[in-house]
Amino acid sequence: SNDDPALLTLGFSDSLPEDLQEVVIEVYSISFTRNDATPFVVEDFTIGGVEDLETVKIDLLKYPGANQLVVIEDLELDAGTYEVSIAILDDDVNNSSVLEADGDSKALTVSGGELTLQGMQLASGNEALTVEFGLAQALQFQTATESYLLAPTGIRIENNLTGATLSGLIDSTLFDTVSPCSEKNPPTSGNRVYLYKGIDLAQDLADVFTSASVPTPPGNPLAPFAVASLNETTREYAFGFLPAGDYTLASARDTAQD
């Protein structure tokens, strides 16, 4: 019945944004708030058999596609709809940071120190959910401070039972024989795959953009629902934890400067 509790298992996963070596967040609490009630706060974590951890430091890039790190297991909560707040230590580059391709480490910050996600649905019984960090949308470089901002845009919570996985290969001839892609060094760098909601789309398929993007995207642009990078060796892409539905897939091969 609806009065029976839910047993929540929560994992973290990501979709790789670009040529970054690490995207590390240090989480010190996760709060669950139902109907404006008093939040239920998880402040101790068990990761890999190690119990009572006050914080958990996660390199999100280690969990692409359908891979995930379980951060909460069998947490008893009432069934219902929740707001989820993930509190992140972002005071110091030693807590949360981005390691760029050239080896530079930059601070990672979160507005207000918390990522707040709406609409987590829990039914009675065992519920396995995943926070999918769409870093291509969520991770924004701040030129003024030479740091990265992690925003809720592109971060979503999906049910593992109903979430879909989409993966495939891009034909190597697109890199080796088609100009200007074939002139890149190496041709396999700077490649992304974009997923858009819907089929037979009348809108222009756009790169990631926000209302503050400069220049303003032309025409009637549609932002991608999810973005994945291509494995430089195998040319494989993978999307994990997608809500069921119709999608359009597109690829771009000149995203190194995004």
Side-chain angles (χ1 to χ4, degrees), residues 15 17 134-140 151 153-156 208 210 224-227:
S15 53
L135 294 177
Q137 296 102 316
L139 197 61
Q140 304 163 13
T153 306
I155 301 177
R156 61 187 195 277
V208 174
T210 70
F225 179 76
V227 182

Side-chain angles (χ1 to χ4, degrees), residues 7-12 30 32 45 47 68-75 84 86 120 127-131 157-158 160:
L7 290 176
L8 169 66
T9 296
L10 187 72
F12 283 9
I30 303 177
F32 302 90
F45 301 92
I47 305 293
Q68 65 166 257
L69 174 69
V70 174
V71 294
I72 294 174
E73 195 161 13
D74 293 337
L75 173 65
V84 181
I86 303 168
M120 184 187 79
E127 289 278 82
L129 305 180
T130 297
V131 180
I157 301 178
E158 299 292 347
N160 292 12

Side-chain angles (χ1 to χ4, degrees), residues 12 18 112 119 156 164 182 234:
F12 283 9
E18 50 192 293
R156 61 187 195 277
S182 59
T234 64

Side-chain angles (χ1 to χ4, degrees), residues 212-231:
S213 292
V214 177
T216 303
N220 183 26
L222 179 65
F225 179 76
V227 182
S229 288
L230 214 58
N231 183 294

